[in-house]
Each structure stands twice: as C-alpha cells, then as structure tokens.
Coordinates of all heavy atoms in Angstrom, one line a residue:
M63 N 49.5 -19.1 -6.7 CA 49.3 -20.5 -6.7 C 48.6 -20.9 -8.0 O 47.6 -20.2 -8.4 CB 48.6 -20.9 -5.5 CG 48.3 -22.4 -5.4 SD 47.9 -23.0 -3.8 CE 46.2 -23.0 -3.9
K64 N 49.0 -21.9 -8.7 CA 48.4 -22.3 -9.9 C 47.0 -23.0 -9.6 O 46.9 -23.8 -8.8 CB 49.3 -23.3 -10.6 CG 48.9 -23.7 -12.0 CD 50.0 -24.5 -12.6 CE 49.9 -24.5 -14.1 NZ 50.9 -25.2 -14.8
K65 N 46.0 -22.5 -10.4 CA 44.7 -23.0 -10.2 C 44.5 -24.2 -11.1 O 45.1 -24.3 -12.2 CB 43.6 -22.0 -10.6 CG 43.6 -20.7 -9.7 CD 42.9 -21.0 -8.5 CE 42.7 -19.7 -7.7 NZ 42.0 -19.9 -6.5
K66 N 43.6 -25.1 -10.7 CA 43.2 -26.3 -11.6 C 41.8 -26.1 -12.0 O 40.9 -25.9 -11.2 CB 43.4 -27.6 -10.8 CG 43.0 -28.8 -11.7 CD 43.4 -30.1 -10.9 CE 43.2 -31.2 -11.9 NZ 43.5 -32.5 -11.2
I67 N 41.6 -26.0 -13.4 CA 40.3 -25.8 -14.0 C 39.9 -27.1 -14.7 O 40.7 -27.5 -15.6 CB 40.3 -24.6 -14.9 CG1 40.7 -23.3 -14.1 CG2 38.9 -24.4 -15.6 CD1 40.9 -22.1 -14.9
Q68 N 38.8 -27.6 -14.5 CA 38.3 -28.8 -15.1 C 36.9 -28.6 -15.8 O 36.1 -27.9 -15.2 CB 38.2 -30.0 -14.1 CG 39.5 -30.3 -13.4 CD 39.3 -31.2 -12.2 OE1 38.8 -30.7 -11.2 NE2 39.7 -32.5 -12.3
V69 N 36.8 -29.2 -16.9 CA 35.5 -29.2 -17.6 C 35.0 -30.7 -17.5 O 35.8 -31.6 -18.0 CB 35.5 -28.7 -19.0 CG1 34.2 -29.0 -19.7 CG2 35.8 -27.3 -19.0
L70 N 33.9 -30.9 -16.9 CA 33.3 -32.3 -16.8 C 32.3 -32.5 -17.8 O 31.4 -31.7 -18.0 CB 32.7 -32.5 -15.4 CG 33.5 -32.0 -14.2 CD1 32.6 -32.3 -12.9 CD2 34.8 -32.7 -14.1
G71 N 32.4 -33.6 -18.5 CA 31.4 -34.0 -19.5 C 31.9 -35.2 -20.3 O 33.0 -35.4 -20.5
P72 N 30.9 -36.0 -20.8 CA 31.2 -37.2 -21.5 C 31.8 -37.0 -22.9 O 32.2 -38.0 -23.6 CB 29.9 -37.9 -21.6 CG 28.8 -36.8 -21.6 CD 29.4 -35.8 -20.7
G73 N 31.8 -35.8 -23.4 CA 32.4 -35.6 -24.8 C 31.4 -35.0 -25.8 O 31.6 -35.0 -27.0
C74 N 30.2 -34.7 -25.3 CA 29.1 -34.2 -26.2 C 29.6 -32.8 -26.7 O 30.6 -32.2 -26.3 CB 27.8 -34.0 -25.5 SG 27.8 -32.8 -24.1
A75 N 28.8 -32.3 -27.7 CA 29.2 -31.0 -28.3 C 29.2 -29.9 -27.4 O 30.0 -29.0 -27.4 CB 28.1 -30.8 -29.5
R76 N 28.2 -29.9 -26.4 CA 28.2 -28.8 -25.4 C 29.4 -28.9 -24.5 O 30.0 -27.8 -24.1 CB 26.9 -28.9 -24.5 CG 25.6 -28.6 -25.2 CD 24.5 -28.7 -24.2 NE 24.5 -29.8 -23.4 CZ 23.7 -30.8 -23.4 NH1 22.7 -30.8 -24.1 NH2 23.8 -31.9 -22.6
C77 N 29.8 -30.0 -24.2 CA 31.0 -30.2 -23.3 C 32.3 -29.7 -24.0 O 33.1 -29.0 -23.4 CB 31.2 -31.7 -22.9 SG 29.8 -32.3 -22.0
E78 N 32.4 -30.1 -25.3 CA 33.5 -29.7 -26.1 C 33.5 -28.1 -26.2 O 34.6 -27.5 -26.2 CB 33.5 -30.4 -27.4 CG 33.7 -31.9 -27.4 CD 35.0 -32.3 -26.7 OE1 36.1 -31.6 -27.0 OE2 35.1 -33.3 -26.0
K79 N 32.4 -27.6 -26.4 CA 32.3 -26.1 -26.6 C 32.7 -25.4 -25.3 O 33.4 -24.4 -25.3 CB 30.9 -25.7 -27.0 CG 30.8 -24.3 -27.4 CD 31.6 -23.9 -28.6 CE 31.4 -22.5 -29.0 NZ 32.4 -22.1 -30.1
L80 N 32.2 -25.9 -24.1 CA 32.6 -25.3 -22.9 C 34.1 -25.4 -22.7 O 34.8 -24.4 -22.3 CB 31.9 -26.0 -21.7 CG 32.3 -25.4 -20.3 CD1 32.0 -23.9 -20.2 CD2 31.5 -26.1 -19.2
A81 N 34.7 -26.6 -23.0 CA 36.1 -26.7 -22.9 C 36.9 -25.7 -23.8 O 37.9 -25.0 -23.3 CB 36.6 -28.1 -23.3
E82 N 36.4 -25.5 -25.0 CA 37.0 -24.5 -25.9 C 36.8 -23.1 -25.3 O 37.8 -22.3 -25.3 CB 36.2 -24.6 -27.2 CG 36.7 -23.6 -28.3 CD 35.9 -23.7 -29.5 OE1 35.6 -24.9 -30.0 OE2 35.5 -22.7 -30.1
N83 N 35.7 -22.8 -24.8 CA 35.5 -21.5 -24.2 C 36.3 -21.2 -22.9 O 36.8 -20.1 -22.7 CB 34.0 -21.3 -23.8 CG 33.1 -21.1 -25.1 OD1 33.6 -21.0 -26.2 ND2 31.8 -21.3 -24.9
V84 N 36.5 -22.3 -22.2 CA 37.4 -22.2 -21.0 C 38.8 -21.9 -21.4 O 39.5 -21.1 -20.8 CB 37.3 -23.4 -20.1 CG1 38.4 -23.4 -19.0 CG2 35.9 -23.4 -19.4
L85 N 39.3 -22.7 -22.4 CA 40.7 -22.4 -22.9 C 40.9 -21.0 -23.4 O 41.9 -20.4 -23.2 CB 41.0 -23.5 -23.9 CG 41.3 -24.9 -23.4 CD1 41.4 -25.9 -24.5 CD2 42.6 -24.9 -22.5
K86 N 39.9 -20.5 -24.1 CA 39.9 -19.1 -24.6 C 40.0 -18.2 -23.5 O 40.8 -17.2 -23.5 CB 38.7 -18.8 -25.5 CG 38.7 -19.4 -26.8 CD 37.4 -19.0 -27.6 CE 37.4 -19.7 -28.9 NZ 36.1 -19.4 -29.6
A87 N 39.2 -18.4 -22.4 CA 39.2 -17.5 -21.3 C 40.6 -17.5 -20.5 O 41.1 -16.5 -20.2 CB 38.1 -17.9 -20.3
I88 N 41.1 -18.7 -20.4 CA 42.4 -18.9 -19.7 C 43.5 -18.1 -20.5 O 44.3 -17.3 -19.9 CB 42.8 -20.3 -19.6 CG1 41.9 -21.0 -18.6 CG2 44.3 -20.5 -19.2 CD1 42.1 -22.6 -18.5
N89 N 43.5 -18.2 -21.8 CA 44.4 -17.5 -22.6 C 44.2 -16.0 -22.6 O 45.1 -15.2 -22.5 CB 44.4 -18.1 -24.1 CG 45.0 -19.5 -24.2 OD1 45.9 -19.8 -23.4 ND2 44.5 -20.2 -25.1
E90 N 42.9 -15.6 -22.8 CA 42.6 -14.2 -22.8 C 43.0 -13.5 -21.5 O 43.5 -12.4 -21.5 CB 41.2 -13.9 -23.1 CG 40.8 -12.5 -23.3 CD 39.4 -12.3 -23.9 OE1 39.0 -13.1 -24.7 OE2 38.8 -11.3 -23.4
L91 N 42.8 -14.2 -20.4 CA 43.1 -13.6 -19.1 C 44.6 -13.8 -18.7 O 45.0 -13.2 -17.7 CB 42.2 -14.3 -18.0 CG 40.7 -14.0 -18.1 CD1 39.9 -14.9 -17.1 CD2 40.4 -12.5 -17.8
G92 N 45.3 -14.6 -19.5 CA 46.7 -14.8 -19.2 C 47.0 -15.5 -17.9 O 47.9 -15.3 -17.2
L93 N 46.1 -16.5 -17.6 CA 46.2 -17.2 -16.3 C 47.2 -18.3 -16.3 O 47.3 -19.0 -17.4 CB 44.8 -17.8 -15.9 CG 43.7 -16.8 -15.8 CD1 42.3 -17.5 -15.5 CD2 43.9 -15.8 -14.6
D94 N 47.8 -18.5 -15.2 CA 48.6 -19.7 -15.0 C 47.8 -20.8 -14.4 O 47.6 -20.8 -13.1 CB 49.8 -19.3 -14.1 CG 50.8 -20.5 -13.9 OD1 50.8 -21.4 -14.8 OD2 51.5 -20.5 -12.9
A95 N 47.1 -21.6 -15.2 CA 46.2 -22.6 -14.7 C 46.4 -23.9 -15.4 O 46.7 -24.0 -16.6 CB 44.7 -22.1 -14.9
E96 N 46.2 -25.0 -14.7 CA 46.2 -26.3 -15.2 C 44.8 -26.6 -15.7 O 43.8 -26.4 -15.0 CB 46.6 -27.3 -14.1 CG 46.5 -28.7 -14.6 CD 46.8 -29.7 -13.4 OE1 47.3 -29.3 -12.4 OE2 46.5 -30.9 -13.6
F97 N 44.6 -27.0 -17.0 CA 43.3 -27.3 -17.5 C 43.2 -28.9 -17.8 O 44.1 -29.5 -18.3 CB 43.2 -26.6 -18.9 CG 41.9 -27.0 -19.6 CD1 40.6 -26.5 -19.1 CD2 41.9 -27.8 -20.6 CE1 39.5 -26.8 -19.8 CE2 40.7 -28.2 -21.3 CZ 39.5 -27.7 -20.8
E98 N 42.0 -29.4 -17.5 CA 41.8 -30.8 -17.7 C 40.3 -31.0 -18.1 O 39.4 -30.4 -17.5 CB 42.0 -31.6 -16.4 CG 41.8 -33.0 -16.5 CD 41.9 -33.8 -15.2 OE1 41.9 -33.2 -14.1 OE2 42.1 -35.0 -15.2
K99 N 40.1 -31.9 -19.1 CA 38.8 -32.3 -19.5 C 38.6 -33.7 -18.8 O 39.4 -34.6 -19.0 CB 38.7 -32.4 -21.0 CG 38.5 -31.1 -21.7 CD 38.4 -31.2 -23.2 CE 38.1 -32.4 -23.9 NZ 38.1 -32.4 -25.3
V100 N 37.5 -33.8 -18.1 CA 37.2 -35.0 -17.4 C 36.0 -35.7 -18.1 O 34.9 -35.1 -18.1 CB 36.9 -34.8 -15.9 CG1 36.5 -36.1 -15.2 CG2 38.1 -34.2 -15.2
S101 N 36.2 -36.8 -18.7 CA 35.0 -37.5 -19.4 C 34.6 -38.8 -18.7 O 33.6 -39.4 -19.1 CB 35.4 -37.8 -20.8 OG 36.6 -38.6 -21.0
D102 N 35.4 -39.3 -17.8 CA 35.1 -40.5 -17.1 C 33.9 -40.3 -16.2 O 33.9 -39.4 -15.3 CB 36.3 -41.0 -16.2 CG 36.0 -42.2 -15.4 OD1 36.0 -43.3 -16.1 OD2 35.7 -42.1 -14.2
I103 N 32.8 -41.1 -16.4 CA 31.6 -40.9 -15.7 C 31.7 -41.0 -14.2 O 31.0 -40.4 -13.4 CB 30.4 -41.7 -16.3 CG1 29.1 -41.2 -15.9 CG2 30.6 -43.2 -15.9 CD1 28.7 -39.9 -16.5
M104 N 32.5 -41.9 -13.7 CA 32.8 -42.2 -12.3 C 33.4 -40.9 -11.7 O 33.1 -40.5 -10.6 CB 33.6 -43.4 -12.1 CG 32.9 -44.7 -12.5 SD 31.3 -44.9 -11.7 CE 31.8 -45.6 -10.2
Q105 N 34.4 -40.3 -12.4 CA 35.0 -39.1 -11.9 C 34.0 -38.0 -11.8 O 33.9 -37.2 -10.9 CB 36.2 -38.7 -12.7 CG 37.4 -39.5 -12.5 CD 38.6 -39.0 -13.3 OE1 38.6 -39.1 -14.6 NE2 39.5 -38.4 -12.7
I106 N 33.2 -37.8 -12.9 CA 32.2 -36.8 -12.9 C 31.2 -36.9 -11.8 O 30.9 -35.9 -11.1 CB 31.4 -36.8 -14.3 CG1 32.4 -36.5 -15.4 CG2 30.2 -35.9 -14.3 CD1 31.8 -36.7 -16.8
T107 N 30.7 -38.1 -11.5 CA 29.7 -38.3 -10.5 C 30.3 -38.1 -9.1 O 29.6 -37.7 -8.2 CB 29.0 -39.7 -10.5 OG1 30.0 -40.7 -10.5 CG2 28.2 -39.8 -11.8
S108 N 31.6 -38.3 -9.0 CA 32.3 -38.0 -7.7 C 32.3 -36.6 -7.3 O 32.4 -36.3 -6.1 CB 33.8 -38.5 -7.7 OG 34.6 -37.6 -8.5
F109 N 32.0 -35.7 -8.2 CA 31.8 -34.3 -7.9 C 30.4 -33.9 -7.5 O 30.1 -32.8 -7.2 CB 32.2 -33.4 -9.1 CG 33.7 -33.3 -9.4 CD1 34.4 -34.1 -10.3 CD2 34.4 -32.3 -8.7 CE1 35.7 -34.0 -10.5 CE2 35.8 -32.2 -8.9 CZ 36.4 -33.0 -9.8
G110 N 29.5 -34.9 -7.6 CA 28.1 -34.7 -7.4 C 27.4 -34.0 -8.5 O 26.2 -33.5 -8.3
V111 N 27.9 -34.0 -9.6 CA 27.3 -33.4 -10.8 C 26.3 -34.3 -11.5 O 26.6 -35.5 -11.7 CB 28.4 -33.0 -11.8 CG1 27.9 -32.6 -13.2 CG2 29.3 -31.9 -11.3
M112 N 25.1 -33.8 -11.7 CA 24.1 -34.5 -12.4 C 23.8 -34.1 -13.8 O 23.1 -34.7 -14.6 CB 22.8 -34.5 -11.6 CG 23.0 -35.0 -10.2 SD 23.7 -36.7 -10.2 CE 22.3 -37.6 -9.8
A113 N 24.3 -32.9 -14.2 CA 24.1 -32.3 -15.5 C 25.5 -31.8 -16.0 O 26.2 -31.2 -15.3 CB 23.1 -31.2 -15.5
T114 N 25.8 -32.2 -17.2 CA 27.0 -31.7 -17.9 C 26.7 -30.9 -19.1 O 25.6 -31.0 -19.7 CB 27.9 -32.9 -18.3 OG1 27.2 -33.7 -19.2 CG2 28.3 -33.7 -17.1
P115 N 27.6 -30.0 -19.5 CA 28.9 -29.8 -18.9 C 28.9 -29.1 -17.6 O 27.9 -28.4 -17.2 CB 29.6 -29.0 -20.0 CG 28.5 -28.2 -20.6 CD 27.3 -29.1 -20.6
A116 N 30.0 -29.3 -16.9 CA 30.2 -28.6 -15.6 C 31.6 -28.0 -15.6 O 32.5 -28.5 -16.2 CB 30.0 -29.6 -14.4
L117 N 31.7 -26.9 -14.8 CA 33.0 -26.3 -14.7 C 33.4 -26.4 -13.2 O 32.6 -26.1 -12.3 CB 32.9 -24.8 -15.0 CG 34.1 -23.9 -14.9 CD1 35.3 -24.4 -15.7 CD2 33.7 -22.4 -15.2
V118 N 34.7 -26.9 -13.0 CA 35.2 -27.1 -11.7 C 36.5 -26.3 -11.6 O 37.3 -26.4 -12.4 CB 35.4 -28.6 -11.4 CG1 36.1 -28.8 -10.1 CG2 34.2 -29.3 -11.5
I119 N 36.7 -25.5 -10.5 CA 37.9 -24.8 -10.2 C 38.4 -25.2 -8.8 O 37.7 -25.1 -7.8 CB 37.7 -23.3 -10.3 CG1 37.3 -22.9 -11.7 CG2 39.0 -22.6 -10.0 CD1 37.0 -21.4 -12.0
D120 N 39.6 -25.7 -8.8 CA 40.2 -26.2 -7.6 C 39.3 -27.2 -6.8 O 39.1 -27.0 -5.6 CB 40.7 -25.0 -6.7 CG 41.8 -24.3 -7.3 OD1 42.6 -24.9 -8.1 OD2 42.1 -23.1 -6.9
G121 N 38.7 -28.1 -7.5 CA 37.9 -29.1 -6.9 C 36.5 -28.7 -6.5 O 35.7 -29.5 -6.0
K122 N 36.1 -27.4 -6.8 CA 34.8 -26.9 -6.4 C 34.0 -26.7 -7.7 O 34.4 -26.0 -8.6 CB 35.0 -25.6 -5.7 CG 33.8 -25.0 -5.1 CD 34.1 -23.7 -4.5 CE 33.4 -23.5 -3.2 NZ 33.8 -22.3 -2.5
V123 N 32.8 -27.3 -7.7 CA 31.9 -27.1 -8.8 C 31.4 -25.7 -8.8 O 30.8 -25.2 -7.9 CB 30.7 -28.1 -8.8 CG1 29.7 -27.9 -10.0 CG2 31.2 -29.5 -8.8
I124 N 31.7 -25.0 -9.9 CA 31.3 -23.6 -10.1 C 30.1 -23.4 -10.9 O 29.3 -22.6 -10.7 CB 32.5 -22.8 -10.7 CG1 33.8 -22.9 -9.9 CG2 32.1 -21.3 -10.9 CD1 33.7 -22.4 -8.5
F125 N 29.9 -24.3 -11.9 CA 28.8 -24.2 -12.8 C 28.4 -25.6 -13.3 O 29.3 -26.4 -13.7 CB 29.3 -23.4 -14.0 CG 28.3 -23.3 -15.1 CD1 27.3 -22.4 -15.2 CD2 28.4 -24.2 -16.2 CE1 26.4 -22.4 -16.2 CE2 27.5 -24.2 -17.3 CZ 26.5 -23.3 -17.2
S126 N 27.2 -25.9 -13.2 CA 26.7 -27.2 -13.7 C 25.2 -27.1 -14.0 O 24.3 -27.1 -13.1 CB 26.8 -28.3 -12.6 OG 26.2 -29.5 -13.1
A127 N 24.9 -26.9 -15.3 CA 23.5 -26.6 -15.6 C 23.1 -27.4 -16.9 O 22.0 -27.2 -17.4 CB 23.2 -25.1 -15.8
G128 N 24.0 -28.1 -17.5 CA 23.7 -28.8 -18.7 C 23.6 -28.0 -20.0 O 23.1 -28.4 -21.0
V129 N 24.1 -26.7 -19.9 CA 24.2 -25.9 -21.1 C 25.5 -25.3 -21.2 O 26.4 -25.4 -20.3 CB 23.2 -24.7 -21.0 CG1 21.7 -25.2 -20.9 CG2 23.5 -23.8 -19.7
T130 N 25.8 -24.8 -22.4 CA 27.1 -24.2 -22.7 C 27.0 -22.7 -22.4 O 26.0 -22.1 -22.8 CB 27.6 -24.4 -24.1 OG1 27.7 -25.8 -24.3 CG2 29.0 -23.8 -24.4
I131 N 28.0 -22.1 -21.8 CA 28.0 -20.7 -21.6 C 29.0 -20.0 -22.5 O 29.9 -20.6 -23.0 CB 28.3 -20.3 -20.1 CG1 29.6 -21.0 -19.6 CG2 27.1 -20.7 -19.2 CD1 29.9 -20.7 -18.2
T132 N 28.7 -18.7 -22.8 CA 29.5 -18.0 -23.8 C 30.9 -17.7 -23.3 O 31.2 -17.8 -22.0 CB 28.9 -16.6 -24.1 OG1 29.0 -15.8 -22.9 CG2 27.4 -16.7 -24.5
P133 N 31.9 -17.5 -24.2 CA 33.2 -17.2 -23.7 C 33.2 -16.0 -22.7 O 34.0 -16.0 -21.8 CB 34.0 -16.8 -25.0 CG 33.2 -17.6 -26.1 CD 31.8 -17.6 -25.6
K134 N 32.4 -15.0 -23.0 CA 32.3 -13.8 -22.1 C 31.9 -14.2 -20.7 O 32.5 -13.8 -19.7 CB 31.4 -12.8 -22.7 CG 31.2 -11.5 -21.9 CD 30.3 -10.6 -22.5 CE 30.0 -9.3 -21.6 NZ 29.0 -8.4 -22.1
D135 N 30.9 -15.1 -20.6 CA 30.4 -15.5 -19.3 C 31.5 -16.4 -18.6 O 31.7 -16.3 -17.4 CB 29.2 -16.4 -19.4 CG 27.9 -15.5 -19.8 OD1 28.0 -14.3 -19.5 OD2 27.0 -16.0 -20.4
V136 N 32.2 -17.2 -19.4 CA 33.3 -18.0 -18.8 C 34.4 -17.1 -18.2 O 34.9 -17.3 -17.1 CB 33.9 -19.0 -19.8 CG1 35.1 -19.7 -19.3 CG2 32.9 -20.0 -20.2
I137 N 34.7 -16.0 -18.9 CA 35.7 -15.1 -18.5 C 35.2 -14.4 -17.2 O 36.0 -14.3 -16.2 CB 36.0 -14.0 -19.5 CG1 36.8 -14.6 -20.7 CG2 36.8 -12.8 -19.0 CD1 37.0 -13.8 -21.9
C138 N 34.0 -14.0 -17.1 CA 33.5 -13.4 -15.9 C 33.5 -14.4 -14.7 O 33.9 -14.0 -13.6 CB 32.0 -12.9 -16.1 SG 31.9 -11.5 -17.2
I139 N 33.1 -15.6 -15.0 CA 33.0 -16.6 -13.9 C 34.5 -16.9 -13.4 O 34.7 -16.9 -12.2 CB 32.4 -17.9 -14.4 CG1 30.9 -17.7 -14.5 CG2 32.6 -19.1 -13.4 CD1 30.1 -18.8 -15.3
I140 N 35.4 -17.1 -14.3 CA 36.8 -17.4 -13.9 C 37.4 -16.3 -13.2 O 38.1 -16.4 -12.2 CB 37.6 -17.9 -15.1 CG1 37.1 -19.3 -15.6 CG2 39.1 -18.0 -14.8 CD1 37.7 -19.8 -16.8
S141 N 37.2 -15.1 -13.8 CA 37.8 -13.9 -13.1 C 37.3 -13.7 -11.7 O 38.0 -13.4 -10.8 CB 37.4 -12.6 -13.9 OG 38.1 -12.6 -15.2
D142 N 35.9 -13.9 -11.6 CA 35.3 -13.7 -10.2 C 35.9 -14.8 -9.3 O 36.2 -14.5 -8.1 CB 33.8 -13.8 -10.4 CG 33.1 -13.6 -9.1 OD1 33.4 -12.6 -8.4 OD2 32.3 -14.4 -8.7
T143 N 36.0 -16.0 -9.7 CA 36.4 -17.1 -8.9 C 37.9 -16.9 -8.5 O 38.3 -17.1 -7.3 CB 36.3 -18.4 -9.6 OG1 34.9 -18.6 -10.0 CG2 36.7 -19.6 -8.7
F144 N 38.7 -16.4 -9.4 CA 40.1 -16.2 -9.1 C 40.4 -15.0 -8.1 O 41.3 -15.0 -7.4 CB 40.9 -15.9 -10.4 CG 41.4 -17.2 -11.0 CD1 40.6 -18.2 -11.3 CD2 42.7 -17.4 -11.4 CE1 41.0 -19.4 -11.9 CE2 43.2 -18.5 -12.0 CZ 42.3 -19.6 -12.2
S145 N 39.4 -14.0 -8.2 CA 39.6 -12.8 -7.4 C 38.8 -12.8 -6.1 O 39.0 -12.0 -5.3 CB 39.3 -11.6 -8.2 OG 37.9 -11.6 -8.6
N146 N 37.9 -13.8 -6.0 CA 37.0 -13.8 -4.9 C 36.9 -15.3 -4.3 O 36.5 -16.2 -5.0 CB 35.6 -13.4 -5.3 CG 34.6 -13.3 -4.1 OD1 35.0 -13.5 -3.0 ND2 33.4 -12.9 -4.4
S147 N 37.3 -15.4 -3.1 CA 37.3 -16.8 -2.5 C 35.9 -17.1 -1.9 O 35.7 -18.3 -1.4 CB 38.3 -16.9 -1.4 OG 38.0 -15.9 -0.4
A148 N 34.9 -16.3 -2.1 CA 33.5 -16.6 -1.6 C 32.9 -17.7 -2.5 O 33.2 -17.8 -3.6 CB 32.6 -15.3 -1.7
S149 N 32.1 -18.5 -1.9 CA 31.4 -19.6 -2.6 C 30.5 -19.1 -3.6 O 29.9 -18.0 -3.5 CB 30.8 -20.6 -1.7 OG 29.8 -20.0 -1.0
R150 N 30.2 -19.8 -4.7 CA 29.3 -19.5 -5.7 C 28.4 -20.6 -5.9 O 28.7 -21.8 -5.7 CB 30.2 -19.3 -7.0 CG 29.5 -18.7 -8.2 CD 30.5 -18.5 -9.2 NE 30.2 -17.7 -10.3 CZ 29.8 -16.4 -10.3 NH1 29.7 -15.8 -9.2 NH2 29.5 -15.8 -11.4
P151 N 27.1 -20.4 -6.3 CA 26.2 -21.5 -6.4 C 26.6 -22.4 -7.6 O 27.3 -22.0 -8.5 CB 24.8 -20.8 -6.8 CG 25.2 -19.3 -7.1 CD 26.5 -19.1 -6.5
S152 N 26.2 -23.6 -7.5 CA 26.7 -24.6 -8.5 C 25.9 -24.6 -9.8 O 26.2 -25.3 -10.7 CB 26.6 -26.0 -7.9 OG 25.3 -26.3 -7.6
S153 N 24.9 -23.7 -9.9 CA 24.2 -23.5 -11.2 C 24.1 -22.1 -11.5 O 24.1 -21.2 -10.6 CB 22.9 -24.2 -11.2 OG 22.0 -23.6 -10.3
F154 N 24.1 -21.7 -12.8 CA 24.2 -20.4 -13.2 C 22.9 -20.0 -13.8 O 22.2 -20.6 -14.5 CB 25.3 -20.3 -14.3 CG 25.7 -18.9 -14.7 CD1 26.3 -18.0 -13.8 CD2 25.3 -18.4 -15.9 CE1 26.7 -16.8 -14.1 CE2 25.7 -17.2 -16.3 CZ 26.4 -16.3 -15.4

C-alpha cells in the first residue's frame, strides 16, 4: 500500500530542508510514497502541530520539534515507520 508522507511548515528554511531530506530518503529507500508539502497554517494546526517543521506519515505526526533532522535520521525514521506499525512519539 502506498504511504503518504507530508512535511508541515510555512516555508521557512528548516521546512524546506526537511522536505529536501525527506525526498532524498524516499529516493534512497526506493519507496512508493506520495509526498506533499503542507504550508497552509489551518491544515498544519489540524494535525495538532505547534512547532514546524513536522513530519507526518499516513496522517500520523511522527516528528515535530521545530528543528531540521539529517537525511540519515529521516531515513531511519521513515524505515522504522514503514516496517513497524507501533506508535512513535511526536517529538524526536
């Protein structure tokens, strides 16, 4: 089943960098995933996110700490999320 991966953020440099790192991770892992950048503040707040950037996979906030994470960390988070259905804390 195709996963939906979203990066939430208003468009700041950290948000753009996380989006770039997520795309690199998707490509490196060879995932069949739909990617979306969400910059609308109403949509962002509907996820309950108070700090951006945030990473959402299949509607579940996986990471929201207001910092950018490295491509390696993104790969680990996405790999873990794709292979493990257990919940993960919303901050890293």
Side-chain angles (χ1 to χ4, degrees):
M63 182 162 95
K64 191 173 197 173
K65 298 279 189 179
K66 182 173 185 176
I67 301 175
Q68 297 167 292
V69 171
L70 312 181
C74 66
R76 290 185 315 245
C77 301
E78 295 300 322
K79 188 64 177 175
L80 179 60
E82 179 184 314
N83 291 346
V84 167
L85 286 171
K86 284 179 184 177
I88 290 170
N89 289 330
E90 188 169 321
L91 294 168
L93 300 176
D94 182 24
E96 176 185 343
F97 175 77
E98 178 185 20
K99 285 179 16 183
V100 178
S101 58
D102 179 77
I103 198 70
M104 296 303 280
Q105 284 183 290
I106 293 170
T107 56
S108 74
F109 284 95
V111 169
M112 300 308 256
T114 60
L117 176 63
V118 177
I119 299 178
D120 289 340
K122 186 182 223 177
V123 177
I124 304 298
F125 173 86
S126 172
V129 297
T130 300
I131 51 179
T132 67
K134 181 181 175 183
D135 289 336
V136 172
I137 288 170
C138 290
I139 290 168
I140 291 175
S141 293
D142 184 51
T143 303
F144 272 54
S145 64
N146 183 3
S147 61
S149 64
R150 189 173 194 60
S152 63
S153 65
F154 191 70

